[in-house]
């Protein structure tokens, strides 16, 4: 039924009542009637109908046409005119009001309904187009904002404003995931009419499990919308729904930052049903643009920081270059001081500064003051200016640098505890940075800088500290010839202390000097290379000429974009090098030499290759795990079918004489089914869903017990060497799994050996620490027992090694292997919390090393002989529950043939009913683990309420975690793996009933007990 809400405007009461009745009969909801234009406007404002039926001629000052114009202008609600007048003037005036329909009285219901439906459809289509156009406009404006704004603080509020102002949305806010509180923090919002936003209404953290909170879309990483907030789940807490704030629709659209979902654009709209498919699609694009913008801003910041570091480094190198060139020239000490101070100001971005030395009296004497920065200084006493200030060695912020012998900075000098004020006329000091000048670990002076825009940081201090050694060297050169010699030694010391191999050459690329790092890296003595062109250091001389010389000669600084070249050591070995360089110029700007540095990046390349290898290994592991999950699921259903085949084959064999012509066919069916079951067990081992019973083992004893079988398995042409380790630790594992691992590895080794070969099995104890495991992604620190199997066969290449544990991958010929052997080994090792490695090279053989965790608990008690006695039939009552009808029938027949009374049920519900209605004793519940309605463990709990003494035996195609943990059965839980034979079933039932224990202890049937309860 149509539920559209209609307002009727008609000044004839009888006609209005008739229209209302006809509309109600058509299924519409009449929300009100009005007889005057003023009243119609008021009702429209309060009721917000979907459509207005408007009579043109109305009482009062506002007729129907004028009222319709206002309704369309203010509320955008469609209007249909109802009138008995059709004169030309009225029609022309009505057209100007842009009505959605025009109906002449009298009219029939079909005409009225058609006009209404067409008007509603047209209005809806126009509104959708209008909304989409607004959202397209929003998308365009957001893209422009991404270009205009460079910070998140500017961008996000602007996006909220654009969405509200241009997108027909009443409120927009952006929530950011706060890792500290695990909640949503509003970082930007905008709302119509400049109304504030209560952050308490938005913050929902720590996040509850209830999906009705602002973090749902962030957690799920997908949009979440609500088109009727009074009824639906929405993004606000229940006590603060948007409906209470005047909103009827809301939506949340997550965005990412650096690859992770980090926040969401949240929208609230006054109208209901706002978020349709196309709107959601466009708003998702807005969220994607936000993600792009945030990543772009972060990328720009990182790039700017990197460029700033490069500029700073270049400024440092340029400053050192200028200082050293000045020191080598014949300039005066004053000009040298000005050059040093200029370099320091350039490196740190300071406004002014000075350089002072400590004289014989322990006072600081000024050597140089910056110009033009100090033109602000109003100190008139030149003598005082030249000794500014006195006694700084013991007090003041300048004295702090000298006294401590290390640099420091402050961006609020007047608040520093060492502040003693400034002499009259001193320029205002808003920020301070000072670094001592050192010589032989003794403070000989200082350089003080001030008023960097934005203040100082450790970066400026480190930059200044990097050039002060050159300053000290330069000043000492100028004092005396001794000082010159000392300065030269300091320069050489600095050059030689560079950790990278450094070469100073002339403009013709002939080596002038090399540092010790060069000699160590390249294997040459300095005398062996001095005077030679540097081309011999590179693997490809033409490449050197093309890339290095061209850039040196053009004046490019290689530090901006280091080159990766292949260099050659003196012994002929090659290594990758990151090469940087710069031109050295004199005071006149002439190039006088070239400085080139080399960094051996062999280790970095190795780390990158190792990272790539680990990533490949991770992908391989994930692929194997995915195939394993699939294998486990397939095995469950396949085992059911195999169970039916084996069961009915056994029954048919029991009814057929051995000399019957059909008997051999039954045997072949049984063999094929058993081979299929074995294949399934391999799949389950690979998927880590096989049934295991853990026992504490001595690995040496277990291997020795298999040696005879293994020698028959590999053949006489292969020599088997057994090397047991001494004092092997105990492990806890299913013995059959150890047998399975050894058999698969030995068969694999046998098939890789052509002719006479050797196979070695060895054991040992191994402990791994944190450092070793950090370099091997699959390893976990701890103590392990090693089982290694090595052969001298054909080996494997890298491509084969990458696939060696994949199920169904084999290099053997057709029909010679299933491809599950090594996949099974992998699954067993992982199931036992161990790890496996393999090393192989073509023609060099293969070695598998398996590490199983050391067991520190008590040793298991050996089984008694009574537990190994053959199983017997019985006469007890068994409740059999199986949802697969074929399995149910087959198992029931097996049990009845063994003498049991069998109650069968296809569903857990039917089983509960039988247990409740059965008046006698039910001795055993035999149930499938995975069933509809409830699982086997839950069913057993229900049955216990009717028969507290009932024993339980679970069966399944694989051991689900319902009764096991990672395939390991809890102690006391009886389980039989599908498919099973009649004899296996008989033995397992007697074991589950506890009859073997009874024979040993002399207990009666009525005294059975001791099975582990279901918790």
């Amino acid at each position: 039924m149509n539920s559209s809400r209609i307002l009727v405007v008609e000044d004839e009461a009888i006609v209005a009542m008739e229209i209302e009745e006809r509309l109600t009969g058509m299924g519409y909801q009449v929300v009100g009637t009005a007889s005057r234009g003023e009243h119609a406007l008021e009702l429209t404002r309060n009721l917000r109908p979907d459509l207005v039926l408007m009579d043109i001629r109305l009482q009062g000052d506002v007729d129907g046409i004028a009222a319709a114009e206002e309704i369309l202008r203010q509320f955008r609600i469609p209007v249909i005119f109802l009138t008995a007048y059709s004169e030309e003037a009225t029609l022309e005036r009505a057209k100007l009001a842009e009505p959605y329909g025009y109906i002449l009285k009298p009219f029939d219901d079909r005409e009225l309904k058609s006009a209404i439906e067409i008007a509603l459809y047209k209005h809806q289509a126009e509104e959708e187009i209008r909304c989409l156009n607004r959202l397209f406009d929003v998308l365009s404006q957001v893209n422009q904002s991404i270009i205009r704004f460079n910070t998140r603080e500017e961008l996000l509020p602007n996006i909220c404003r654009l969405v509200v102002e241009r997108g027909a949305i009443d409120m927009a806010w952006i929530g950011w995931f706060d890792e500290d509180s695990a909640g949503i923090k509003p970082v930007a919002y905008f709302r119509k009419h400049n109304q504030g936003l209560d952050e308490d209404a938005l913050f929902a953290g720590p996040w509850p499990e209830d999906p009705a909170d602002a973090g749902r879309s962030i957690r799920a990483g997908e949009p979440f919308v609500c088109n009727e907030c009074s009824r639906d789940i929405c993004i606000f807490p229940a006590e603060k729904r948007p409906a209470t704030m005047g909103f009827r629709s809301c939506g949340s659209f997550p965005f990412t930052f650096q690859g992770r979902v980090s926040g969401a654009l949240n929208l609230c709209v006054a109208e209901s049903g706002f978020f349709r498919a196309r709107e959601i699609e466009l708003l998702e694009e807005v969220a994607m643009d936000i993600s792009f913008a945030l990543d772009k801003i972060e990328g720009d910041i990182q790039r700017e920081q990197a460029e700033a570091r490069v500029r700073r480094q270049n400024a440092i190198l340029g400053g050192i270059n200028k200082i050293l060139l000045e020191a080598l020239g014949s300039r005066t000490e004053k000009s040298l001081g000005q050059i040093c101070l200029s370099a320091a100001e350039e490196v740190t971005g300071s406004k002014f500064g000075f350089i002072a030395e400590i004289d014989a009296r322990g006072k600081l004497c000024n050597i140089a003051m910056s110009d033009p920065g100090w033109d602000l200084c109003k100190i008139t006493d030149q003598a005082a200016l030249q000794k500014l200030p006195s006694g700084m060695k013991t007090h003041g912020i300048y004295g702090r640098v000298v006294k401590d012998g290390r640099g420091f900075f402050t961006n609020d000098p007047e608040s520093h505890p060492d502040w003693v004020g400034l002499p009259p006329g001193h320029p205002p000091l808003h920020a301070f940075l000072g670094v001592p000048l050192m010589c032989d670990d003794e403070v000989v002076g200082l350089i003080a800088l001030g008023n960097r825009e934005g203040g100082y940081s450790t970066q400026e201090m480190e930059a200044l500290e990097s050039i002060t050694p050159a300053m000290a060297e330069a000043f000492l050169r100028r004092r005396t010839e001794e000082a010159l010699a000392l300065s030269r030694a300091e320069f050489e010391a600095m050059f030689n202390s560079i950790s990278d191999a450094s070469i100073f050459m002339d403009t013709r690329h002939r080596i002038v000097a090399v540092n010790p790092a060069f000699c160590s890296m390249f294997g040459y003595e300095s005398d062996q290379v001095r005077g030679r062109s540097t081309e011999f250091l590179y693997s490809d001389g033409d490449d050197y000429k093309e890339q290095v010389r061209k850039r040196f000669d053009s004046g490019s600084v290689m530090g901006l974009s280091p080159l990766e070249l292949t260099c050659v050591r003196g012994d002929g070995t090659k290594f990758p090098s990151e090469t940087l360089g710069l031109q050295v110029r004199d005071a006149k700007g002439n190039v006088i030499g070239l400085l080139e540095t080399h960094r051996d990046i062999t280790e970095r390349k190795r780390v990158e290759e190792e990272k790539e290898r680990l990533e490949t290994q991770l992908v391989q592991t994930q692929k194997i795990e995915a195939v394993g999950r699939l294998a486990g699921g397939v095995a469950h259903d396949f085992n059911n079918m195999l169970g039916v085949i084996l069961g009915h084959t056994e029954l048919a064999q029991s009814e057929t004489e051995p000399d019957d012509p059909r008997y051999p066919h039954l045997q072949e069916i049984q063999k094929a089914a058993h081979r299929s079951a074995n294949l399934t067990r391999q799949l389950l081992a690979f998927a880590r869903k096989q049934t295991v019973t853990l026992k504490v083992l001595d690995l040496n004893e277990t291997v020795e017990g298999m040696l005879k079988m293994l020698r028959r398995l590999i053949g006489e042409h292969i020599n088997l060497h057994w090397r047991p380790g001494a004092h092997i630790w105990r492990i806890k594992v299913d013995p059959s799994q150890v047998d399975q691992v050894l058999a698969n590895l030995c068969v694999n080794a046998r098939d890789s050996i052509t002719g006479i070969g050797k196979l070695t099995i060895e054991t040992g104890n191994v402990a791994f620490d944190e450092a070793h495991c950090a370099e091997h992604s699959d390893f976990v620190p701890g103590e392990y027992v090693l089982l290694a199997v090595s052969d001298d066969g054909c080996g494997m290449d890298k491509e084969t090694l990458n696939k060696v544990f994949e199920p169904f991958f084999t290099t053997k010929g057709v029909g010679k292997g299933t491809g599950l052997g090594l996949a099974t080994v992998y699954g067993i090792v992982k199931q036992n919390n161990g790890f496996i490695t393999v090393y192989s090279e073509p023609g060099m053989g293969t070695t598998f090393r398996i590490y199983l965790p050391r067991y520190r608990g008590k040793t298991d008690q050996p089984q008694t002989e009574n537990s190994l006695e053959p199983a017997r039939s019985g006469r007890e009552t068994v409740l059999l529950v199986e949802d697969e009808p074929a399995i149910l029938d087959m198992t029931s027949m097996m049990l009845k043939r063994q003498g049991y009374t069998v109650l069968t049920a296809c569903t857990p519900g039917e089983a509960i009913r039988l247990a409740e209605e059965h008046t006698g004793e039910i001795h055993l519940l035999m149930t499938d683990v995975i069933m509809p309605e409830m699982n086997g463990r839950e069913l057993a709990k229900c049955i216990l309420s009717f028969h507290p003494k009932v024993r339980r035996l679970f069966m399944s195609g694989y051991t689900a975690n319902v009764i096991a943990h990672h395939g390991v059965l809890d102690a006391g839980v009886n389980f039989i793996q599908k498919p099973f034979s009649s004899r296996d079933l008989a033995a397992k039932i007697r074991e589950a009933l506890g009859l073997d224990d009874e024979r040993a202890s002399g207990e009666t049937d009525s005294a059975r007990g001791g099975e582990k309860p279901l918790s």
Side-chain angles (χ1 to χ4, degrees), residues 669-682:
I669 293 173
Q670 188 179 44
K671 290 179 182 178
H674 278 300
R675 285 196 295 270
S676 298
N678 290 333
L679 182 61
T680 306
R681 277 192 289 274
Q682 286 185 292

Side-chain angles (χ1 to χ4, degrees), residues 615-679:
E615 289 175 349
T616 302
Q617 185 176 358
L618 175 61
V619 171
Q620 179 73 5
T621 301
Q622 291 172 338
K623 182 165 60 174
I624 291 176
E625 292 293 336
V627 176
R629 288 193 294 271
L630 174 63
V634 170
H636 175 264
D637 293 336
F638 191 47
N639 276 335
N640 279 341
M641 294 183 284
L642 287 176
V644 175
I645 295 171
L646 281 172
H648 285 287
T649 302
E650 281 192 357
L651 292 176
Q653 283 179 318
S654 66
E655 298 173 356
T656 306
E657 295 298 330
D659 57 354
D660 191 302
R662 295 169 294 179
Y663 195 84
H665 298 299
L666 293 174
Q667 286 182 313
E668 290 302 317
I669 293 173
Q670 188 179 44
K671 290 179 182 178
H674 278 300
R675 285 196 295 270
S676 298
N678 290 333
L679 182 61

Side-chain angles (χ1 to χ4, degrees), residues 120-138:
L120 289 172
Y121 178 79
K122 177 183 177 184
H123 175 68
Q124 180 183 358
E126 290 178 350
E127 285 299 302
E128 289 180 359
I129 293 173
R130 177 177 171 275
C131 180
L132 291 177
N133 286 337
R134 281 180 169 271
L135 292 179
F136 274 118
D137 181 48
V138 168

